[in-house]
Amino acid sequence: MFICLLVILVVGLLLPQQYQVTQAVRIDSPQATVTPLLIDFNNWHAWQPWARVDDSIKFTIAEPSKGVGAHQFWQSRWGHGEMTITQLTQDEMHFNLLFNQEHIAQGLITFKVKNNIVVVQCSLNGEVNTPIVGGYLALLNQYILNNTLKLALNNLKTHVQLEHD
């Protein structure tokens, strides 16, 4: 038993504590239709999947709700966090995430437009600083965020196509 625990501990210490997730979606719609859904937290309820994934989650949106400095908080039975838009241009939005006051992730959403098709790509880079189990938590975060991010972008595409076509 002791050897098993020692192996788990050593493996956990050797696992990288960083994770990276990137997903993209093509949306057949003008950028003017897509971008407001992303840069204003008041519009996220229409497409973000977290309420469906965790029915206990509650969001609080601070002012301003859009653009640089926009800020939202969430609380659920699984934890809490916050997100802040830190930089915004016509082609990209940078943001920071803080999960459970334990680790920060940086995010980037890009908007590439060609022939009235918008490719929205979202990348998250984070690090889990929890002692001993941080590597395991980074793997878990990467798995959960990869699947949820894919779901979110597909929801965004569906919402745009149903509401604006």
Side-chain angles (χ1 to χ4, degrees):
M1 179 73 155
F2 175 74
I3 293 175
C4 289
L5 290 175
L6 185 60
V7 168
I8 290 171
L9 175 65
V10 169
V11 169
L13 292 172
L14 295 175
L15 287 171
Q17 294 184 316
Q18 301 80 25
Y19 60 88
Q20 180 175 3
V21 175
T22 300
Q23 291 288 339
V25 68
R26 293 170 40 100
I27 303 174
D28 188 4
S29 187
Q31 183 177 5
T33 302
V34 177
T35 303
L37 294 169
L38 293 163
I39 66 169
D40 187 342
F41 290 139
N42 283 320
N43 295 329
W44 280 44
H45 67 88
W47 60 270
Q48 64 82 13
W50 288 108
R52 290 172 197 88
V53 172
D54 178 0
D55 63 356
S56 74
I57 199 163
K58 303 290 183 235
F59 289 93
T60 304
I61 299 169
E63 290 296 328
S65 67
K66 65 180 175 181
V68 174
H71 202 82
Q72 72 172 338
F73 304 88
W74 65 88
Q75 178 75 39
S76 83
R77 68 176 162 260
W78 304 108
H80 59 278
E82 56 188 274
M83 179 178 178
T84 305
I85 297 174
T86 58
Q87 184 180 352
L88 183 63
T89 69
Q90 182 177 341
D91 301 322
E92 59 187 34
M93 180 178 92
H94 295 259
F95 58 92
N96 287 335
L97 293 162
L98 176 63
F99 296 102
N100 295 324
Q101 297 181 340
E102 292 176 2
H103 72 277
I104 292 177
Q106 291 79 39
L108 171 64
I109 298 175
T110 59
F111 320 101
K112 295 180 181 161
V113 182
K114 185 175 182 181
N115 299 330
N116 227 27
I117 294 176
V118 181
V119 176
V120 178
Q121 179 175 302
C122 184
S123 300
L124 297 171
N125 297 297
E127 183 172 352
V128 180
N129 296 316
T130 306
I132 301 173
V133 297
Y136 292 111
L137 291 174
L139 286 173
L140 179 63
N141 282 347
Q142 184 166 325
Y143 175 78
I144 291 170
L145 291 172
N146 190 54
N147 289 316
T148 307
L149 187 54
K150 186 175 189 175
L151 179 59
L153 292 176
N154 285 332
N155 285 353
L156 176 67
K157 177 179 181 173
T158 299
H159 176 76
V160 168
Q161 290 176 340
L162 289 176
E163 296 292 321
H164 300 285
D165 281 347

